[in-house]
Amino acid sequence: MPETALLPLIVASAFIGCLVPGLLARFGRNMSALGAAGVMASCLALLIPLIPTVLAGKTLLTAYAWLPDYGLNLAFRLDGLGLLFCLLILGIGLLVVLYAYYYLPESDRLGRFYTFLLLFMAAMLGVVLSENLLLLVVFWEVTSISSFLLIAYKRDQRDSRHAARMALAITGGGGLALLAGVLLLGYIAGSYELSVVLAEGERILNHALYAPMLILILLGAFTKSAQFPFHFWLPNAMAAPTPVSAYLHSATMVKAGVFLLARLHPALAGSELWFWLVSGTGAITLVYAAYIAFHRYDLKGLLAYSTISHLGLITLLFGLDTPLSVVAGVFHIINHAIFKASLFMAAGIIDHECGTRDMRQVNGLFKFMPITATLAIVAAASMAGVPLLNGFLSKEMFFTEAVGHPVFEDMSWLLPLFATIAGILAVAYSSRFIHDVFFNGDPIDLPRQPHEPPRWMRAPVEILVVLCLLVGIFPQWSIAPLLGAAASSVLQTPLPAFELAVWHGFNLPFIMSLVALAGGITLYALRQPFFALHDRLPSIHANLVFKRLYEQLMIFAHRVVSWLDNGSLQRYLASFTTFVLALGGWAWYSGPSTLADATYQPADSAAFAALATLMVGALGATLLHRQRFTAILFTSVVGLVVALTFVRFSAPDLALTQLAVEVVTIVLLLLVLHYLPQHSPAEDSGPRLIRDAALAACAGAGLGATAFAMMGTPFETISGFYLAQSVPGGGGSNVVNVILVDFRGFDTLGEITVLAMVGLAAHALLDKLILVAPGHDSDGRPWAKELHPLFLSILMRPLLPLALAVSIFILLRGHNMPGGGFVAGLVTGVALILQYLASGIDFALQRLPRHKAKLLALGLLLAAATGAASWLFGYPYLTSTHGHIALPLIGEIELASVMVFDLGVYIVVVTTVLMVLAQLGRLSRHNEESA
Amino acid sequence: MEAIVATAIGILTTCGIFLMLRARTFPVVLGLTLLSYAVNLFLFASGRLMLDAPPLIRAGARYTDPLPQALVLTAIVIGFGMTAYLLMVALRAMAETGDDHVDGREKS
């Protein structure tokens, strides 16, 4: 198997693996944890064989077409950056699985937790392994949704749900902006494949749409990476269980934003706009969040804001846009992931053991948990940038870049000063974490007596802290190859010369480090006045702003909904008609207005007579609609004229169908009217009637004029094929029928399915329904007691076999002459209705099949199976066949497979009519019984 | 000839829409029936009006366009299905609310 085939396999096994812990949860939490770890380990095992190739500087690509016309392909890519992120996602993921097993309460089976965690991990792997940008956006959205599920894991808590909603609103909204940006980017670059896009940097930068595209994509990245002013969802997301925070806010979720900056760096970076937007946002976030972190009492809150601050630093580094700053940014992604994951886990241990994480209570823990304390102190020192730890190295690279950055020539002191202030604040909040929690007197009112956590709960922290030291002391040996591969795949150029060493000599960056350390410790020592000052400052909580906006939006949405959707059908139909009229009017106004080449046929007196009859029918039904019985009679006149129109204009099939439908419809209307009021009350106001009449008249005039224009315009029909192929291809000379059962058989299958649903709906809607019909008509005259006139019932009985014979005749000849399954079914339906009218429902039902639903299914199956039968002979679905058979007495007839199909149509039509009728009949029987 | 059919379509549409805008279930169903006639005629007319040219294959004959006819045939049957369905919904609504107002209440 080629190496590249492993890439989709990694993503696929992660997504499929989501199900494993959920399925294993019934065997207890151990199994579910093992399952989750197993899935991650197997993803890692699939990844490991690819590592040497990628470290050697190669990019693995593989693609499968998904929707190629839209540029969306299942294309995957593994290069240094992708490898780095995969290792972070899977490595820290494994540690989180172990940690969560101890952190979450014993009573939790963990199936749901690990399923969500794996789903999230799978989506993250998808993001970092995507070669296709649209595919990347798809996975990006899955991370938003799965992180929503993870943050809301404690779903019985209001805070969790609120935080999850907020995270989803911000990151999901950013995802939409990203989608728009990516669409623009693909349009500019001419492809959604990264390999193409990354090589088109020049063209993209000079394109007119560069600025909007960049802003949209940055919105996506900044919301995900919690950059100011979208940062506030992250501290709220601390409502999630700590393992989730350790995973989402160190290595994965928030890193997706900076991953995107790194991924698209060759395509987007290099402009002034990029520099100012990205480095500006990063710088503000870096300092602002560090300042807030320093003032937090909540342990996780401090870590949350420090995370935002470090993400700001990474953003700033990508924004500075020199080759070395990009290397530093990638390096800091790694370092931050390692030390922040361990710090979150340590904070979780403290929370777990003490029952609180308020730093005003949690003090002096060193004597209770010395090992955990040591680990956390080392990790926090790395966060502060203390030498010999990994955080120091990337911070030192940041300082070096700050000193030498070319853009600030005139104010070369500005950036270093800024960097030093950020460094001081980082040291200050790290000192606070170390000193407040582990020293600073004794614990105050802890809910629990703290002690060391279980052995294996600490293990993930130990591993991560060892990594901090390894990278910090032996960078060249431990991290350089991976960093090199990742950074060069970000830059898409050969790497600049850089030296990963602990000691670079006594230079300006080192002095800045020293100043930051000393200043930070001093700041922490003098914290009381600062805290007092901070408390007096007016606080603008982004949280509150969001809440206000959210509430306003909800109120607005409710207003719009209650305005549009007020539950009035009349209003919906009126606004719908108005809207369609407006659209039509616009098209009319803007379109060509000439009918120059229109030709028309002369009218004759029969046509005028028919029109006059139709007008009487339609207007009569409308004007007298409140006398419902009269209105039905007028409507039936219209139906007859329409059927005659079909006869006149060469459509015998339509005329037959229309006639049969007309009879059934009128009978149904009469039956139903029996249970409804006989008159409509006069309740509509004059203005409303005028408004409705105007709307209706406009619509009528519009449609009539359109029809008139259409009929006069010459056109080219596509029906030549059907006419030519009807006999040789379909084996029938009635082209309409051949189209229905052969050429467009699949449509017909859909249509009889709809009919079947009507039959079933009759059962669903009317079964067990009790409606009492009035015993007299609207004028107070009682209905005749004589239910079934003898004359009628006697006369009708011999008619049934006759009608059945006729309908079979119509069915059989339908392929060549007017007729077919629809008409035959309706004729049978009419015959049965006649029996029902003449002899009552009991008589009719006794003579009919009882299991109508089965009959319905039989009809559908017959039609579908005829189509499927062509598979047996290796033809596409619904391919027809036909031949001639000689029968004794009747002679030679042409038999086509579609006749079976038509039989299915027939059965469905008959059964539907029957089911409706039987339900209505049941209503009347109930009335007879109660009478 | 075309003008007559177009007038018929226009009148049926007008009456149909006016009835559909009424507040009781029964006129709405009637209106829908009238509108269905109009729409079916319109679809049918898109194949143009031809006299004595049914689409039945026989020697030396001319044929009208069969495709709109096939479409309208199914439209007629589906229209019947919809009418039947609406009538049953109207019955059910009558039973549930004791009234035949389209919004399930006396006056909007």
Side-chain angles (χ1 to χ4, degrees):
Chain A
M1 188 163 63
E3 279 183 322
T4 51
L6 289 176
L7 297 182
L9 207 58
I10 293 173
V11 179
S13 52
F15 270 105
I16 297 167
C18 294
L19 303 172
V20 172
L23 293 174
L24 289 180
R26 72 178 66 187
F27 304 112
R29 65 202 309 269
N30 297 7
M31 290 308 291
S32 140
L34 273 178
V39 172
M40 289 199 184
S42 39
C43 288
L44 203 55
L46 289 172
L47 183 70
I48 285 172
L50 307 177
I51 293 178
T53 325
V54 174
L55 287 187
K58 278 178 106 179
T59 300
L60 298 174
L61 291 173
T62 179
Y64 302 91
W66 182 4
L67 296 170
D69 292 347
Y70 296 92
L72 175 55
N73 295 308
L74 285 173
F76 296 95
R77 166 198 191 92
L78 183 68
D79 55 9
L81 185 68
L83 176 67
L84 165 65
F85 268 91
C86 282
L87 289 176
L88 285 177
I89 293 164
L90 292 169
I92 295 188
L94 273 170
L95 298 179
V96 167
V97 168
L98 175 62
Y99 178 78
Y101 176 77
Y102 290 99
Y103 181 86
L104 290 169
E106 291 276 332
S107 55
D108 190 335
R109 285 277 190 83
L110 298 176
R112 192 163 62 93
F113 181 80
Y114 284 132
T115 300
F116 292 167
L117 195 75
L118 284 181
L119 179 65
F120 175 76
M121 181 205 75
M124 276 306 297
L125 286 176
V127 168
V128 301
L129 288 176
S130 286
E131 154 77 358
N132 187 287
L133 279 169
L134 293 175
L135 187 66
L136 187 149
V137 176
V138 172
F139 286 125
W140 183 281
E141 291 295 326
V142 181
T143 63
S144 294
I145 291 166
S146 50
S147 63
F148 166 81
L149 294 171
L150 279 171
I151 294 170
Y153 185 70
K154 295 183 234 166
R155 53 190 170 184
D156 49 337
Q157 289 179 15
R158 207 165 180 272
D159 280 1
S160 295
R161 297 197 303 268
H162 179 71
R165 264 207 306 278
M166 183 189 276
L168 185 66
I170 302 288
T171 60
L176 288 180
L178 176 67
L179 175 62
V182 160
L183 289 174
L184 277 179
L185 179 58
Y187 166 73
I188 296 172
S191 169
Y192 293 108
E193 306 299 318
L194 271 172
S195 324
V196 180
V197 173
L198 296 185
E200 291 284 345
E202 277 297 309
R203 188 159 105 203
I204 295 167
L205 284 188
N206 296 318
H207 199 278
L209 289 171
Y210 173 75
M213 181 271 295
L214 180 67
I215 289 170
L216 285 168
I217 289 185
L218 289 182
L219 271 177
F222 288 169
T223 47
K224 202 78 161 181
S225 279
Q227 295 297 294
F228 183 86
F230 308 109
H231 60 284
F232 52 89
W233 67 265
L234 196 149
N236 282 298
M238 292 300 131
T242 303
V244 172
S245 312
Y247 197 39
L248 261 57
H249 305 138
S250 67
T252 54
M253 166 96 164
V254 294
K255 288 286 165 65
V258 287
F259 167 81
L260 195 71
L261 295 182
R263 177 93 286 174
L264 294 175
H265 186 270
L268 303 182
S271 66
E272 288 229 332
L273 190 65
W274 168 276
F275 174 81
W276 288 109
L277 275 181
V278 178
S279 64
T281 309
I284 293 172
T285 312
L286 167 65
V287 174
Y288 168 77
Y291 171 77
I292 301 287
F294 180 49
H295 292 91
R296 290 274 116 174
Y297 295 114
D298 177 15
L299 206 49
K300 274 179 87 177
L302 185 153
L303 291 178
Y305 275 99
S306 89
T307 300
I308 298 173
S309 171
H310 281 274
L311 289 165
L313 171 58
I314 298 168
T315 306
L316 170 61
L317 283 167
F318 285 126
L320 289 179
D321 204 14
T322 61
L324 273 176
S325 72
V326 170
V327 176
V330 175
F331 195 19
H332 202 64
I333 289 178
I334 308 173
N335 293 333
H336 175 254
I338 295 173
F339 68 65
K340 193 50 65 70
S342 62
L343 281 172
F344 268 118
M345 290 180 184
I349 290 175
I350 291 163
D351 189 11
H352 199 250
E353 298 304 321
C354 301
T356 176
R357 42 177 212 246
D358 189 325
M359 280 190 279
R360 286 167 297 191
Q361 287 172 275
V362 178
N363 302 124
L365 285 189
F366 192 85
K367 25 185 191 298
F368 298 101
M369 41 172 84
I371 303 176
T372 307
T374 313
L375 293 170
I377 290 169
V378 174
S382 173
M383 173 163 77
V386 172
L388 294 184
L389 294 165
N390 59 350
F392 170 74
L393 295 177
S394 44
K395 185 155 283 188
E396 194 81 346
M397 288 171 93
F398 165 49
F399 286 165
T400 313
E401 283 313 294
V403 170
H405 198 272
V407 170
F408 294 92
E409 272 176 359
D410 298 335
M411 299 190 289
S412 56
W413 48 270
L414 186 66
L415 201 53
L417 177 72
F418 201 77
T420 315
I421 292 174
I424 290 173
L425 286 167
V427 173
Y429 65 67
S430 304
S431 315
R432 177 146 189 240
F433 181 88
I434 296 171
H435 185 258
D436 261 15
V437 174
F438 297 112
F439 306 101
N440 200 18
D442 288 312
I444 303 162
D445 291 338
L446 287 187
R448 267 180 242 155
Q449 175 66 30
H451 48 74
E452 284 286 351
R455 175 73 195 83
W456 288 101
M457 186 175 185
R458 216 172 51 209
V461 189
E462 289 164 1
I463 294 172
L464 289 167
V465 168
V466 168
L467 280 177
C468 283
L469 286 162
L470 267 181
V471 174
I473 300 173
F474 308 108
Q476 198 61 40
W477 169 79
S478 59
I479 199 71
L482 184 59
L483 175 61
S488 69
S489 72
V490 173
L491 290 168
Q492 295 281 305
T493 52
L495 269 190
F498 69 93
E499 197 188 350
L500 279 181
V502 179
W503 178 245
H504 285 279
F506 194 78
N507 50 15
L508 189 55
F510 188 70
I511 296 173
M512 285 160 70
S513 278
L514 289 183
V515 172
L517 277 175
I521 292 171
T522 317
L523 182 63
Y524 175 67
L526 301 172
R527 63 191 179 278
Q528 294 310 338
F530 277 102
F531 285 6
L533 182 67
H534 178 74
D535 286 343
R536 281 211 302 278
L537 288 177
S539 62
I540 314 162
H541 278 294
N543 241 336
L544 288 179
V545 176
F546 176 84
K547 204 175 157 192
R548 193 81 44 79
L549 281 175
Y550 184 81
E551 279 164 3
Q552 293 293 326
L553 187 69
M554 282 322 231
I555 292 171
F556 176 70
H558 277 301
R559 267 192 208 141
V560 170
V561 168
S562 57
W563 178 67
L564 282 175
D565 178 20
N566 67 343
S568 162
L569 182 72
Q570 282 175 288
R571 182 168 177 173
Y572 299 159
L573 285 178
S575 18
F576 179 75
T577 314
T578 312
F579 183 69
V580 173
L581 270 175
L583 280 183
W586 181 52
W588 186 289
Y589 183 75
S590 57
S593 58
T594 168
L595 284 175
D597 48 356
T599 50
Y600 295 102
Q601 303 167 39
D604 54 19
S605 51
F608 278 113
L611 179 64
T613 321
L614 181 130
M615 281 172 74
V616 169
L619 291 174
T622 308
L623 296 176
L624 299 175
H625 77 268
R626 288 181 36 231
Q627 274 96 50
R628 294 178 172 182
F629 181 72
T630 322
I632 294 179
L633 295 185
F634 276 111
T635 311
S636 67
V637 172
V638 177
L640 287 176
V641 176
V642 171
L644 286 176
T645 313
F646 290 141
V647 174
R648 183 81 200 277
F649 297 114
S650 320
D653 278 287
L654 295 193
L656 274 177
T657 316
Q658 182 71 59
L659 271 177
V661 160
E662 204 50 42
V663 176
V664 183
T665 308
I666 297 298
V667 172
L668 269 185
L669 282 169
L670 288 172
L671 279 176
V672 169
L673 184 59
H674 188 54
Y675 298 99
L676 292 176
Q678 303 299 305
H679 296 275
S680 302
E683 59 190 343
D684 287 323
S685 61
R688 164 166 273 180
L689 286 174
I690 292 168
R691 181 201 74 176
D692 290 351
L695 268 180
C698 287
L703 197 65
T706 313
F708 184 67
M710 175 185 75
M711 282 186 280
T713 320
F715 82 123
E716 250 183 66
T717 175
I718 55 168
S719 298
F721 167 81
Y722 298 121
L723 287 166
Q725 287 298 317
S726 181
V727 174
S733 52
N734 179 2
V735 187
V736 174
N737 184 268
V738 174
I739 291 177
L740 283 177
V741 297
D742 193 333
F743 295 130
R744 310 291 305 162
F746 203 56
D747 295 357
T748 309
L749 189 60
E751 269 137 9
I752 56 173
T753 313
V754 174
L755 268 190
M757 281 191 253
V758 171
L760 293 176
H763 189 76
L765 282 168
L766 300 185
D767 200 35
K768 307 226 164 59
L769 187 76
I770 292 176
L771 266 176
V772 180
H776 49 79
D777 71 359
S778 53
D779 299 328
R781 290 172 298 211
W783 295 115
K785 289 285 178 208
E786 185 73 47
L787 282 170
H788 308 294
L790 185 67
F791 177 66
L792 192 61
S793 58
I794 297 296
L795 193 66
M796 283 305 142
R797 280 182 202 178
L799 218 58
L800 180 64
L802 265 179
L804 285 178
V806 168
S807 61
I808 289 168
F809 172 67
I810 291 178
L811 173 69
L812 285 179
R813 73 175 213 150
H815 213 46
N816 293 310
M817 300 294 286
F822 280 120
V823 184
L826 288 164
V827 168
T828 310
V830 173
L832 294 171
I833 289 177
L834 274 178
Q835 294 306 311
Y836 160 60
L837 289 180
S839 311
I841 187 70
D842 291 318
F843 174 84
L845 286 184
Q846 275 162 17
R847 283 152 187 80
L848 291 172
R850 186 167 297 175
H851 302 289
K852 297 183 200 62
K854 283 184 186 158
L855 205 59
L856 209 54
L858 175 76
L860 277 179
L861 268 178
L862 213 55
T866 321
S870 52
W871 279 336
L872 294 179
F873 302 98
Y875 291 104
Y877 191 63
L878 280 169
T879 309
S880 71
T881 177
H882 54 90
H884 296 266
I885 298 178
L887 283 182
L889 291 180
I890 299 176
E892 186 168 289
I893 62 163
E894 185 160 24
L895 204 64
S897 66
V898 292
M899 283 185 170
V900 185
F901 184 86
D902 224 8
L903 183 66
V905 174
Y906 170 80
I907 294 178
V908 171
V909 174
V910 174
T911 321
T912 303
V913 174
L914 272 183
M915 285 180 90
V916 175
L917 203 65
Q919 285 299 339
L920 287 176
R922 206 192 43 74
L923 284 178
S924 76
R925 185 165 47 175
H926 172 82
N927 275 294
E928 281 167 30
E929 281 162 8
S930 59
Chain B
M1 200 71 94
E2 280 82 357
I4 289 181
V5 174
T7 315
I9 291 173
I11 287 174
L12 288 176
T13 310
T14 307
C15 296
I17 288 184
F18 181 80
L19 285 181
M20 281 173 67
L21 291 170
R22 305 278 54 80
R24 301 287 164 162
T25 51
F26 202 77
V28 171
V29 176
L30 281 187
L32 205 66
T33 312
L34 290 181
L35 191 64
S36 304
Y37 292 143
V39 172
N40 289 344
L41 275 179
F42 184 88
L43 280 180
F44 174 68
S46 71
R48 306 302 183 265
L49 308 177
M50 281 177 81
L51 302 176
D52 304 321
L56 302 168
I57 305 292
R58 52 207 194 286
R62 55 188 201 114
Y63 311 113
T64 185
D65 196 340
L67 195 58
Q69 293 199 12
L71 291 178
V72 172
L73 200 152
T74 48
I76 293 173
V77 179
I78 292 288
F80 158 70
M82 193 163 69
T83 309
Y85 179 75
L86 274 182
L87 284 173
M88 290 180 294
V89 172
L91 278 183
R92 183 67 193 242
M94 182 76 194
E96 299 281 336
T97 64
D99 186 58
D100 68 336
H101 196 282
V102 283
D103 305 332
R105 53 173 191 251
E106 269 297 329
K107 181 79 188 165
S108 59

